[in-house]
Amino acid sequence: MPKQSLNAVQSSTEFEVAGGGLLDRRLFLKQGMIFTAATWGALSSQTATAELDRESWTKQPGKPFSNYGSPSDYEKKVIRWIMANDDAPGNGVSWTPLHELEGIVTPSGLHFERHHNGVPAIDPERHRLLIHGLVKRPLTFSVSDILQYPMQSRLCFIECGGNSNAGWRSEPIQTQVGYFHGMASCSEWTGVPLSVVLQEAGIKGRAKWIIAEGGDASMMNISLPLDKALDDCLLALYQNGERLRAENGYPLRLLVPGWEGVLNVKWLKRLHLAAKPVMARNETAKYTELLPSGKARQFSFVMEPKSVITHPSFGHRLDRHGLYQISGLAWSGRGKIAKVEVSADGGKSWAEAELQEPVLPKCFTRFRIPWRWQGQDVVLKSRAFDEAGAVQPERAELIARRGRHGYFHYNAIVSWAITEAGEISHVYL
Amino acid sequence: MPKQSLNAVQSSTEFEVAGGGLLDRRLFLKQGMIFTAATWGALSSQTATAELDRESWTKQPGKPFSNYGSPSDYEKKVIRWIMANDDAPGNGVSWTPLHELEGIVTPSGLHFERHHNGVPAIDPERHRLLIHGLVKRPLTFSVSDILQYPMQSRLCFIECGGNSNAGWRSEPIQTQVGYFHGMASCSEWTGVPLSVVLQEAGIKGRAKWIIAEGGDASMMNISLPLDKALDDCLLALYQNGERLRAENGYPLRLLVPGWEGVLNVKWLKRLHLAAKPVMARNETAKYTELLPSGKARQFSFVMEPKSVITHPSFGHRLDRHGLYQISGLAWSGRGKIAKVEVSADGGKSWAEAELQEPVLPKCFTRFRIPWRWQGQDVVLKSRAFDEAGAVQPERAELIARRGRHGYFHYNAIVSWAITEAGEISHVYL
């Protein structure tokens, strides 16, 4: 077995770019400079080979082919965590385990869920979309009709407006990243631009809003400004290459890139064009919040820039000194992520992380930065900057602006404190 | 029900850019010009609403949340097709149903498979990777060891060197795109750069090749040039965000971007650095081919530019006249797709298709172009150009170069003939 060679970076300060051990984001490209100091234990390769070849899976045929695959049996712990109403098990949420994942794509089986009355089993042959209200020609579309139209694909995130709401608590929640921030997921969605089918119906001049309604047994509805509908919304039919999963709106959902999740109506059944919003439950009693001024903040659609370090994070434990790669996710509903900065000294100094290509608008962006940990007490933070100029705030700033009665749209900087023993906790700092 | 409004483009030639009805790729952005001519049937929106609300799924709670989701029960036909040896069911292939998919991401459950002796159920706690041969320090790594190293993610395709081999037959095969070209799939892979761990072992000057060996019961091995290993190969641990699927090499596979699939060794167990290739079965008896000169073509690693129209294609039927979006996939092992051209008149004239963003190196690229079909006899073709200057050849050119005894690396232009009745067949033209 090799010794832990990741200690191998010279303990000089040559590559340091900020306090707490943060190193130049290009460091891992300079391999020759880093790893030549490695001192691995020599071992007999004959012995090792013989050992490898003794395993049962080298001795007997494996399982046959499958029509549709599933995760490895050894990965059964990587699941959506469910929090649902005992009396109404279709009402609740399930979270994407972001702390177990890598890259930017969320596998469809782990996309977060938010349902009000369960997942309907809609027959696509019988499903219809109605477009009516302030239109010249009210229309119904079958799914086959919609499949005839020109399509577009885009990789983008969907995030619930209530994601990260534990951040509003007075004490920092101690839980894994996925169960704190995992009401956000990222997929490649394909569908028909909403503008194209609205054009077919003919929009009347007084129309300013679209009331979108789902076809499940909660018949949830919300109001979407017409300008956004004509900008970049899709009638989504495909998710990560295949048709939508039932829990993501099969056979048809609304995709409203960068705006809060509740607008991305699943099992889409009706688009009613109107002069005013409908003032539905989910835009009055819910998804609004009381500000310090006493006024309610309503129709706060855009998901502001957010980032979180996923590795290392709560639930992990640093069990060696040496070199680490800090990695995490950043996203913004306003466009592309322009920059992510990381601090290892609680915000005193910051260094710029590498952004993994592709960097796409309204999409998860993976950031990475090398870090040397030699047992020092540290507080890790990340902050996202988007191309529209918005910056992820410190928690104190967010509370000063929005008050202490918030529940939705929490996007403050997240802080992980790491003790000398390598234990990680969530702190407000 | 709406009438078929996609007839709505004026029958003028205003937007025509090539023969056979091909239209300007930016046409669908000019919605006002296209769809205002639509004449849809008026309908009573009250009646339609009442009808929609009668469906059972609006009346009763849906299914509860799930820890890990699956495709809709209505999509059970979208599967990998399996062709395996009756006597050795772990030896064969399964194809990605490309004709059923959209966008560029292949869902992991539908990633193509090529196994020689089935899918091993490898315990990640016991799996080891040995690096030995011409190295300064032979090393073994556990999976946990490898997970400590800095990672990178990239979206890229893997394509079997034998993909599309039906193209070598003297008569054009009549089958769906997926069962002709579906030994190619595209995922987001995350792992540790191979260069980093090779650097740990220390490469001796005489090393020019790496013999990579899998840990299943076929213990397949192949030879990879060291230059490529140091360029952009990964020890892949994650596929589309989650850990590798068993059938894609769990817990560890080699990722060799843009090179033939057989090099992307699954269940990777050993990397042996050597001065010469090992001349294994899969680089001598297989994955080589007899040229017209009588010489064998060997170590033809790079997957040359290829494209195929997936919509419409064999198995579809055009059941109306009017406007269509032609859509397909293009890819090249040499880098980014620079351009895709489409012909609707059997290659007499060509028009440039729109490339869906993101356009990434060694990755599937989705192309789209509008087309008006008014019942004319047409032959649809697509041809891919990559950033390295390579162009997908016509079949006659490929055969002139490679002879008639080919089996691997078929990348000729694919032609779909469409009759007046809307029937689609594969032709050599």
Side-chain angles (χ1 to χ4, degrees), chain B residues 53-67:
Chain B
D53 291 347
R54 260 201 309 271
E55 295 291 0
S56 60
W57 44 82
T58 67
K59 304 278 182 210
Q60 61 200 36
K63 289 182 190 161
F65 293 78
S66 57
N67 289 130

Side-chain angles (χ1 to χ4, degrees), chain B residues 67-238:
Chain B
N67 289 130
Y68 198 97
S70 318
S72 160
D73 290 341
Y74 290 101
E75 298 293 323
K76 294 234 178 275
K77 69 181 188 306
V78 182
I79 55 169
R80 299 190 277 224
W81 269 17
I82 297 168
M83 191 175 72
N85 185 323
D86 282 345
D87 297 323
N91 187 336
V93 298
S94 72
W95 281 270
T96 295
L98 297 174
H99 51 286
E100 304 271 15
L101 305 183
E102 252 296 346
I104 60 169
V105 173
T106 307
S108 299
L110 294 174
H111 194 291
F112 87 90
E113 300 169 276
R114 169 78 181 103
H115 310 311
H116 296 82
N117 205 355
V119 180
I122 296 181
D123 181 347
E125 298 285 321
R126 286 165 54 198
H127 187 70
R128 295 291 180 272
L129 171 67
L130 171 66
I131 301 185
H132 67 156
L134 295 174
V135 296
K136 293 174 189 153
R137 292 171 292 278
L139 301 171
T140 30
F141 296 82
S142 68
V143 176
S144 315
D145 291 338
I146 297 171
L147 283 164
Q148 306 281 330
Y149 281 80
M151 295 198 206
Q152 289 177 6
S153 306
R154 69 178 299 165
L155 277 152
C156 69
F157 72 84
I158 296 179
E159 180 179 17
C160 180
N163 193 28
S164 316
N165 60 31
W168 292 109
R169 297 186 193 181
S170 55
E171 293 300 318
I173 190 172
Q174 302 304 330
T175 191
Q176 283 91 340
V177 172
Y179 312 124
F180 184 6
H181 305 286
M183 281 193 271
S185 311
C186 185
S187 306
E188 186 191 31
W189 302 97
T190 299
V192 176
L194 183 52
S195 59
V196 170
V197 296
L198 291 176
Q199 210 72 45
E200 291 284 70
I203 302 166
K204 286 192 178 168
R206 286 184 301 126
K208 294 286 172 259
W209 292 80
I210 298 183
I211 322 302
E213 185 182 329
D216 60 333
S218 83
M219 299 203 222
M220 204 205 66
N221 61 356
I222 55 84
S223 309
L224 174 70
L226 184 62
D227 288 350
K228 176 68 175 177
L230 294 173
D231 176 17
D232 64 355
C233 295
L234 295 181
L235 295 177
L237 294 150
Y238 295 84

Side-chain angles (χ1 to χ4, degrees), chain B residues 392-414:
Chain B
Q392 186 178 11
E394 286 283 2
R395 187 168 182 277
E397 288 171 64
L398 184 71
I399 286 180
R401 207 158 66 218
R402 305 261 303 281
R404 296 197 165 273
H405 301 288
Y407 183 77
F408 299 98
H409 290 269
Y410 184 89
N411 75 320
I413 289 169
V414 178

Side-chain angles (χ1 to χ4, degrees), chain A residues 1-2 4-6 28 31 35 38 40-41 43 45 48-49 52-53 55 57-72 74-75 78-80 82 84 89-94 100-107 109-110 113 115 117-124 126 128 130 132 137-142 145 148-153 155 188 190 195-196 199-200 215-217 219 238 240-243 245 247 250 269-270 320 325 356 358 360 368, chain B residues 1-2 4-6 28 31 35 38 40-41 43 45 48-49 52-53 55 57-72 74-75 78-80 82 84 89-94 100-107 109-110 113 115 117-124 126 128 130 132 137-141 145 148-153 155 188 190 195-196 199-200 215-217 219 238 240-243 245 247 250 269-270 320 325 356-358 360 368:
Chain A
M1 292 300 304
Q4 288 297 351
S5 75
L6 295 171
F28 289 130
Q31 303 129 13
F35 293 105
W40 294 72
L43 92 183
S45 56
T49 298
L52 292 177
D53 291 347
E55 295 292 358
W57 44 81
T58 67
K59 304 276 182 214
Q60 60 201 38
K63 289 182 191 161
F65 293 78
S66 58
N67 289 130
Y68 199 97
S70 319
S72 159
Y74 291 100
E75 297 294 322
V78 182
I79 55 169
R80 300 189 278 223
I82 297 167
N91 189 335
V93 298
S94 73
E100 304 271 15
L101 305 184
E102 252 295 347
I104 60 169
V105 172
T106 307
L110 294 173
E113 301 170 276
H115 310 310
N117 205 356
V119 180
I122 296 181
D123 181 347
R126 284 164 58 198
R128 295 291 180 273
L130 171 66
H132 66 156
R137 294 171 291 277
L139 301 172
T140 30
F141 296 82
S142 69
D145 290 339
Q148 305 283 329
Y149 281 80
M151 294 197 207
Q152 289 178 6
S153 305
L155 277 151
E188 186 191 32
T190 299
S195 59
V196 170
Q199 210 71 46
E200 291 282 72
D216 61 332
M219 298 203 221
Y238 294 84
N240 291 336
E242 65 192 347
R243 297 290 294 279
R245 295 293 177 89
E247 68 268 30
Y250 184 86
K269 184 178 71 173
R270 191 186 344 219
R320 61 176 172 81
Q325 184 185 59
Q356 181 81 60
L360 300 169
R368 305 178 189 278
Chain B
M1 293 300 304
Q4 287 297 352
S5 77
L6 294 170
F28 291 129
Q31 302 128 13
F35 293 105
W40 293 72
L43 93 180
S45 55
T49 300
L52 292 177
D53 291 347
E55 295 291 0
W57 44 82
T58 67
K59 304 278 182 210
Q60 61 200 36
K63 289 182 190 161
F65 293 78
S66 57
N67 289 130
Y68 198 97
S70 318
S72 160
Y74 290 101
E75 298 293 323
V78 182
I79 55 169
R80 299 190 277 224
I82 297 168
N91 187 336
V93 298
S94 72
E100 304 271 15
L101 305 183
E102 252 296 346
I104 60 169
V105 173
T106 307
L110 294 174
E113 300 169 276
H115 310 311
N117 205 355
V119 180
I122 296 181
D123 181 347
R126 286 165 54 198
R128 295 291 180 272
L130 171 66
H132 67 156
R137 292 171 292 278
L139 301 171
T140 30
F141 296 82
D145 291 338
Q148 306 281 330
Y149 281 80
M151 295 198 206
Q152 289 177 6
S153 306
L155 277 152
E188 186 191 31
T190 299
S195 59
V196 170
Q199 210 72 45
E200 291 284 70
D216 60 333
M219 299 203 222
Y238 295 84
N240 291 336
E242 66 193 346
R243 296 290 295 279
R245 296 294 177 88
E247 69 268 30
Y250 184 86
K269 183 179 71 173
R270 191 186 344 217
R320 60 175 172 80
Q325 184 183 58
Q356 182 81 61
E357 291 291 330
L360 299 169
R368 304 179 190 279

